Amino acid sequence: MHAVSAPRIFTGETFLTDQAVIIESGNIQQLCPVNQVPAGIPHHILRDGFICAGLIDLQVNGGGGLLFNEHTQSEALFQIADAHRQFGTTSILATLISDTPQVVESGIRAVKKAHQQNPGQILGIHIEGPFFNPARRGIHDTRFVRSPSVEDLEILATAGPAVHLMTLAPEQVDREFIHSLRQMGYHVWGGHSEASYQQVRAAIKAGLTGFTHLYNAMSQQSAREPGMLGTALAADQCWAGIIADGFHVHKNSIEVALRCKPKGKLLLVSDAMSTIGTDKKQFMLNGQVIREKQGMLVNQQGTLAGSAITLMDAVHYLVENLNMELEEALRMASVYPAEAISLGHVLGRIKPGYIANLIHIEKQSVLHSWIDGKLLEHRIGEAVCV
C-alpha cells in the first residue's frame, strides 16, 4: 500500500484539494484527506500541479519511432505505448491500418501477449480497415482495401479477451458481418465510407456503436442526404472519435459536433504515427514518404497520414482554441474513451476500485505517471517521498 498526493486531484468529475490517493495491489483503494494518510506507508508528495486519471487513446498507429503495422510484436507495442505515456496517455488501443490478413493475424497475437503482460496499458487492438470504400480510403493502401472473406473472420475470431474495435465501411459489408463481429465481442465503428443515411442506420441496427475520426474520410452531409457525418451527429446512442489538431477538423466543426452529440459521446483520439516521442520529421508508409509539414503529416500529394499529436495536445487544443473547461477536455480523453469500450467501470476516473493509472500535470507538462499504481520514469520531474 502507498499514497500519492498533490495540491489538487481531478477525479473525473471534479477537482478536490488536499486529498491523497491510497493505492493497493495496483488499484485505487480510497481517497482521503492528506492528514489522514495511514502512518507508515510510502507517500509520494507532489508539491505543485494536479493528479488525474491517465489518458486513454483508442487510435494509436505508432510512436517511439515505430509503426504497429511494421512491428507486430509485443515488445514494439510497449515501446509505442511508452512514447505516449511520456505525454500522459497511460492506456492505448494499438491500431492496425489496412494490411494483409497475415499482418492482422500477427498484430492480434502481439496485442494478446502484451495485454496479458499489462492489461491496463495495452487495452487491446483497433483494426482500422481493410473493409473500406476505396473512394474514402485516405492514406490506406489501395492494394489492401477489400471485402471480408472467411479467412478474415477466422483471424478476427482469435482476438481473445483484450478489447477489440474494428472500423469498417457499412456499405462494403453485409449486416450479418457486423452482427458476427458483435458476437465475437468487437466494438464496430464506421469510417472510410461513402454510406448513405439508410446504410448507416441499418448498420447501427446491426450493432455499429461508433464512428472513427468524425468528419474525416466519410460521406458528408447535404440538404437531402445526411451521409455518414450527418447520421453520426444525430445518432445519440453512438460514440464518435475526433482528431483535435487544428488540421483534420476546423474548430467550428468541432463546436458543431459538441453541440450535436450528447455529453459523453464525443471523445478525443490522436491517430498518432511513429513520430511521437522522437525528433523524426518523416517516415515510410507502404512505400510512401510521409513528412511532417507545419504540424501535419502528409504524403507527397498532401493527403493527411495520421497525426503528429498526442492526446494531451488535443486536450490543450480544446482548452486554448474552443475555450473548453479543462475538466471536460480531460473527460474527453479519459472518462469517455473508457466508457466507449465498456471499461468505464475500471478506467478513466480516480475512484475506489479503479485501476491506478494516474498522471501528474504541472504547467501543461506531464511530470509523472503511474500504471497499475507503479511510478514510472519520466524525462523530467521528481516526486518527494516521505
Side-chain angles (χ1 to χ4, degrees), residues 107-378:
I108 287 174
R109 282 199 306 267
V111 167
K112 286 169 68 175
K113 183 177 179 180
H115 179 75
Q116 289 173 348
Q117 293 174 295
N118 196 327
Q121 186 175 25
I122 310 298
L123 301 180
I125 190 167
H126 178 173
I127 303 173
E128 188 189 357
F131 315 130
F132 288 162
N133 191 312
R136 291 285 183 176
R137 64 182 176 84
I139 199 64
H140 291 244
D141 196 318
T142 188
R143 293 175 300 165
F144 303 131
V145 175
R146 62 183 188 274
S147 298
S149 67
V150 172
E151 180 189 11
D152 288 314
L153 269 175
E154 291 172 348
I155 292 171
L156 295 172
T158 67
V163 173
H164 24 292
L165 186 156
M166 168 158 278
T167 297
L168 52 74
E171 75 277 19
Q172 301 299 112
V173 303
D174 56 37
R175 295 188 202 181
E176 186 57 35
F177 182 71
I178 295 175
H179 179 71
S180 295
L181 290 175
R182 293 293 289 155
Q183 290 294 105
M184 295 177 193
Y186 278 82
H187 300 269
V188 182
W189 287 22
H192 292 272
S193 169
E194 276 288 309
S196 67
Y197 169 82
Q198 294 293 347
Q199 289 170 322
V200 177
R201 290 304 306 178
I204 291 172
K205 188 174 181 180
L208 186 140
T209 60
F211 298 89
T212 294
H213 43 53
L214 189 69
Y215 289 100
N216 299 117
M218 59 178 59
S219 48
Q220 299 296 293
Q221 182 176 18
S222 68
R224 288 174 292 279
E225 173 49 60
M228 178 169 280
L229 172 59
T231 312
L233 290 173
D236 288 352
Q237 72 273 44
C238 291
W239 283 274
I242 198 163
I243 306 168
D245 63 355
F247 305 113
H248 280 80
V249 185
H250 192 282
K251 69 176 185 178
N252 186 70
S253 296
I254 299 177
E255 290 173 342
V256 169
L258 286 165
R259 294 185 184 189
C260 289
K261 297 299 292 179
K263 188 174 182 179
K265 292 297 188 178
L266 188 68
L267 56 96
L268 294 170
V269 295
S270 72
D271 200 15
M273 300 300 261
S274 60
T275 55
I276 299 301
T278 76
D279 57 2
K280 295 180 179 179
K281 298 298 182 182
Q282 69 177 52
F283 58 95
M284 297 296 295
L285 178 65
N286 293 326
Q288 297 184 74
V289 178
I290 308 299
R291 291 186 173 88
E292 184 175 335
K293 182 179 180 182
Q294 297 177 327
M296 298 180 289
L297 292 177
V298 295
N299 66 6
Q300 289 184 322
Q301 290 72 44
T303 301
L304 286 167
S307 85
I309 65 166
T310 67
L311 211 54
M312 190 61 76
D313 291 326
V315 168
H316 292 158
Y317 181 87
L318 294 182
V319 172
E320 294 167 5
N321 293 278
L322 277 74
N323 297 315
M324 182 179 284
E325 291 184 351
L326 176 60
E327 294 95 318
E328 182 62 9
L330 287 171
R331 290 186 196 104
M332 288 180 66
S334 55
V335 175
Y336 305 156
E339 292 175 343
I341 55 173
S342 304
L343 292 179
H345 61 297
V346 291
L347 279 175
R349 294 177 171 88
I350 296 180
K351 189 174 179 179
Y354 278 56
I355 297 170
N357 283 5
L358 312 172
I359 57 176
H360 168 223
I361 301 174
E362 182 184 339
K363 297 178 182 178
Q364 295 193 346
S365 294
V366 179
L367 302 188
H368 304 88
S369 60
W370 294 257
I371 292 180
D372 292 333
K374 297 177 182 178
L375 178 61
L376 299 176
E377 181 181 356
H378 266 244

Side-chain angles (χ1 to χ4, degrees), residues 6-10 14-20 32-34:
R8 296 192 300 162
I9 292 175
F10 178 62
T14 188
F15 274 101
L16 304 176
T17 57
D18 299 320
Q19 295 283 306
C32 71
V34 171

Side-chain angles (χ1 to χ4, degrees), residues 47-120:
R47 303 298 185 186
D48 298 295
F50 68 92
I51 296 169
C52 66
L55 307 188
I56 301 168
D57 198 338
L58 306 187
Q59 195 168 1
V60 173
N61 306 295
L66 302 180
L67 281 175
F68 184 32
N69 278 66
E70 297 175 356
H71 299 274
T72 52
Q73 305 89 30
S74 60
E75 298 80 8
L77 283 173
F78 286 111
Q79 182 172 327
I80 291 169
D82 192 63
H84 286 267
R85 181 182 59 80
Q86 300 290 339
F87 302 97
T89 297
T90 55
S91 304
I92 68 168
L93 285 188
T95 303
L96 278 179
I97 65 171
S98 299
D99 215 309
T100 64
Q102 292 73 30
V103 169
V104 174
E105 185 174 24
S106 179
I108 287 174
R109 282 199 306 267
V111 167
K112 286 169 68 175
K113 183 177 179 180
H115 179 75
Q116 289 173 348
Q117 293 174 295
N118 196 327

